[in-house]
């Protein structure tokens, strides 16, 4: 039995239409994410990582092979991505997270602009993130490939990712072609802030 498994999408593949189209969601989940899971299982087999949880692997990813880093990141990042999307999203942050965003960025529109800038500025494949730093404050960053802020890499910002936007072409090319900016604008229509708030609370409990 495989150690890691592809999680089911918490909604139908066409549920995020017209913002995220059915064909993209199907291929993205069933082929791309599945490939990360399959390749991660192969990469950890017989290694020390075989006995670790996904989060433990990500937090100490520098100890493992490039295949574990790429495919472990791919599994972690896509799992988070599906969880923060919804066909019936809460449209804006509330509570403590809303306060933190206002304190850091001034307002939600500025945060959205910062994430769009990070996503557009990521050359080639990668992710844009909102993450929680060790002091409990939030920040925006971008990472290449399947890296994320939880990884113990020498370069890059550190913390718990609570919102991630996939800017690999496989996430948007069928519907948006080369227009990554349009995809990043559409993302807000399916982002569920209730899920991001839950991840924020979980992150605070770990720091
Ligand atoms: Fe992806």
């Amino acid at each position: 039995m495989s150690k890691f498994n592809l999680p089911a999408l918490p909604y139908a593949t066409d549920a995020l239409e017209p913002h995220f189209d059915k064909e993209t969601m199907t291929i993205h989940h069933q082929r791309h994410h599945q490939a990360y899971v399959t390749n991660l299982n192969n990469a950890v087999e017989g290694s020390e990582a075989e006995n670790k949880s996904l989060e433990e692997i990500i937090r100490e990813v520098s100890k493992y092979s490039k295949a574990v880093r790429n495919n472990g990141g791919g599994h972690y990042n896509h799992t988070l991505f599906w969880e923060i999307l919804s066909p019936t999203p809460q449209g804006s942050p509330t509570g403590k997270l809303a306060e933190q965003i206002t304190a850091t960025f001034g307002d939600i529109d500025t945060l959205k602009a910062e994430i769009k800038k990070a996503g557009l500025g990521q050359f080639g494949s990668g992710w844009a993130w909102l993450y929680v730093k060790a002091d409990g404050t939030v920040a925006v960053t971008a990472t290449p490939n399947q890296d994320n802020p939880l990884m113990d890499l020498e370069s890059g910002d550190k913390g718990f990712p609570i919102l991630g936007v996939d800017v690999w072409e496989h996430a948007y090319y069928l519907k948006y072609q080369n227009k990554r900016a349009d995809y990043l604008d559409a993302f807000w229509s399916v982002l569920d802030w209730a899920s991001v708030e839950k991840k924020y609370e979980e992150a605070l409990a770990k720091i």
Side-chain angles (χ1 to χ4, degrees), residues 28-29 32-33 36 74 77-78 81-82 126-127 146 166-171 183:
H28 201 174
H29 177 250
H32 290 281
H33 191 172
Y36 294 122
N77 296 346
H78 286 88
F81 191 50
W82 310 135
W127 292 73
Q146 294 296 351
D166 189 345
V167 295
W168 284 58
E169 283 187 347
H170 69 225
Y183 158 75

Side-chain angles (χ1 to χ4, degrees), residues 21-168:
D21 61 290
K22 177 178 179 164
E23 188 178 15
T24 298
M25 288 297 293
T26 304
I27 295 171
H28 201 174
H29 177 250
Q30 295 293 330
R31 298 196 207 161
H32 290 281
H33 191 172
Q34 178 65 64
Y36 294 122
V37 172
T38 301
N39 293 333
L40 177 61
N41 282 326
N42 291 334
V44 300
E45 196 177 339
S47 80
E48 194 198 331
E50 198 169 27
N51 302 313
K52 306 275 187 178
S53 71
L54 181 59
E55 186 171 315
E56 285 173 324
I57 291 171
I58 296 298
R59 293 181 81 152
E60 299 184 323
V61 82
S62 65
K63 290 166 59 176
Y64 305 113
S65 66
K66 193 78 188 279
V68 169
R69 173 174 166 180
N70 289 339
N71 294 292
H75 182 28
Y76 182 95
N77 296 346
H78 286 88
T79 300
L80 180 147
F81 191 50
W82 310 135
E83 288 173 356
I84 63 170
L85 303 177
S86 171
T88 53
Q90 177 185 306
S92 54
T94 60
K96 271 201 288 190
L97 179 57
E99 288 170 19
Q100 184 59 240
I101 286 170
T102 302
T104 304
F105 301 98
D107 56 51
I108 183 67
D109 287 340
T110 304
L111 167 64
K112 288 181 176 180
E114 288 289 316
I115 290 174
K116 184 176 183 180
K117 194 169 106 185
L120 288 175
Q122 176 55 45
F123 183 76
S125 298
W127 292 73
W129 301 100
L130 178 67
Y131 69 101
V132 184
K133 297 195 286 187
D135 63 2
T137 61
V138 292
V140 169
T141 192
T143 56
N145 305 314
Q146 294 296 351
D147 291 353
N148 66 51
L150 192 58
M151 292 182 170
D152 63 333
L153 303 174
E154 282 182 27
S155 60
D157 305 304
K158 305 290 184 300
F160 286 95
I162 58 173
L163 179 164
V165 196
D166 189 345
V167 295
W168 284 58

